[in-house]
């Protein structure tokens, strides 16, 4: 983060930064994140960064204003050449699904965060595939929808535990390299297509 131009530009290099990056769609649990930001409003060293757009973008801006959340920064989608730097600016990342949405969508942002070596706070219904990956690979922590109180406690715990952040982030990065590298995914697609020709 010290040498990250994105972090320096938005003054994130000296703060503990939690990022939600990507689509802010109907199926994502944005509300729980915002309540978490409200609970941590007085923690001046912790900030929340929303990067992207979508159906809930206007509501994020409304809640920030209504609740006077100076700890929230809202940015548009970043250019593709900036994306690696914006993802790497995170100490933690959010990946979320609303109740009853876990069978409808699969947030691809999970894999970008794991590839960046960033621990993930997954907020989803119980027994979602996100919960299973996070818990099996020990690359973050799962929370049920609405559990802002425990999420805020975990964030403070992680802020004071850089070694644990490094461990969880390393586990996520290892999982991607072993299961979802370009070479492995290309091979899977090749085999799938070959079997159906």
């Amino acid at each position: 983060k010290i040498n990250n131009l994105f972090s320096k530009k938005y003054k994130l290099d000296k703060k503990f930064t939690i990022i939600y990056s990507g689509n802010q769609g109907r199926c994502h649990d944005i509300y729980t994140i915002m309540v978490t930001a409200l609970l941590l409003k007085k923690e001046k060293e912790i900030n929340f960064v929303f990067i992207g757009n979508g159906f809930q973008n206007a509501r994020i801006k409304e809640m920030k204003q209504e609740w006077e959340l100076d700890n929230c920064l809202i940015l548009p989608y970043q250019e593709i050449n900036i994306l690696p730097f914006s993802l790497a600016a995170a100490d933690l990342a959010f990946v979320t699904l609303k109740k009853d949405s876990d069978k409808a969508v699969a947030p691809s942002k999970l894999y970008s965060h794991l590839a960046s070596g960033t621990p993930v706070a997954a907020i989803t219904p119980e027994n979602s595939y996100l919960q299973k990956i996070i818990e099996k690979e020990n690359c973050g922590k799962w929370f049920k929808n609405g559990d802002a109180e425990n999420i805020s406690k975990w964030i403070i715990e992680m802020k004071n535990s850089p070694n644990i952040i490094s461990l969880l982030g390393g586990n996520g990065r290892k999982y991607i390299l072993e299961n979802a590298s370009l070479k492995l995914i290309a091979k899977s697609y090749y085999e799938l297509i070959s079997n159906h020709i």
Side-chain angles (χ1 to χ4, degrees), residues 42-167:
K42 295 181 180 177
E43 299 288 335
K44 299 304 181 185
E45 293 180 359
I46 297 174
N47 65 347
F48 296 75
V49 180
F50 295 86
I51 303 171
N53 207 331
F55 180 78
Q56 296 195 70
N57 182 262
R59 185 61 184 135
I60 293 170
K61 291 175 180 176
E62 287 171 7
M63 286 187 281
K64 172 184 164 70
Q65 185 173 0
E66 288 172 9
W67 298 348
E68 299 178 344
L69 298 178
D70 296 332
N71 57 346
C72 291
L73 173 65
I74 302 170
L75 299 171
Y77 279 114
Q78 301 297 298
E79 297 293 334
I80 192 67
N81 62 314
I82 301 298
L83 187 60
F85 298 98
S86 66
L87 292 172
D91 294 293
L92 296 175
F94 280 117
V95 179
T96 74
L97 287 172
K98 280 185 177 177
K99 291 179 180 178
D100 303 321
S101 294
D102 57 316
K103 303 289 191 298
V105 293
S108 58
K109 60 175 66 72
L110 169 70
Y111 303 99
S112 299
H113 290 306
L114 296 182
S116 299
T118 306
V120 170
I123 305 169
T124 74
E126 195 167 3
N127 295 320
S128 68
Y129 87 97
L130 287 171
Q131 177 185 0
K132 291 171 184 174
I133 290 177
I134 295 296
E135 292 182 345
K136 181 183 177 186
E137 303 303 328
N138 191 29
C139 53
K141 191 164 183 177
W142 170 80
F143 300 91
K144 65 182 179 181
N145 299 98
D147 194 11
E149 185 173 346
N150 281 319
I151 298 169
S152 60
K153 289 177 182 176
W154 185 67
I155 288 171
I156 290 174
E157 180 185 337
M158 290 299 98
K159 175 183 170 291
N160 298 318
S161 307
N163 291 338
I164 296 177
I165 283 188
S166 180
L167 172 65

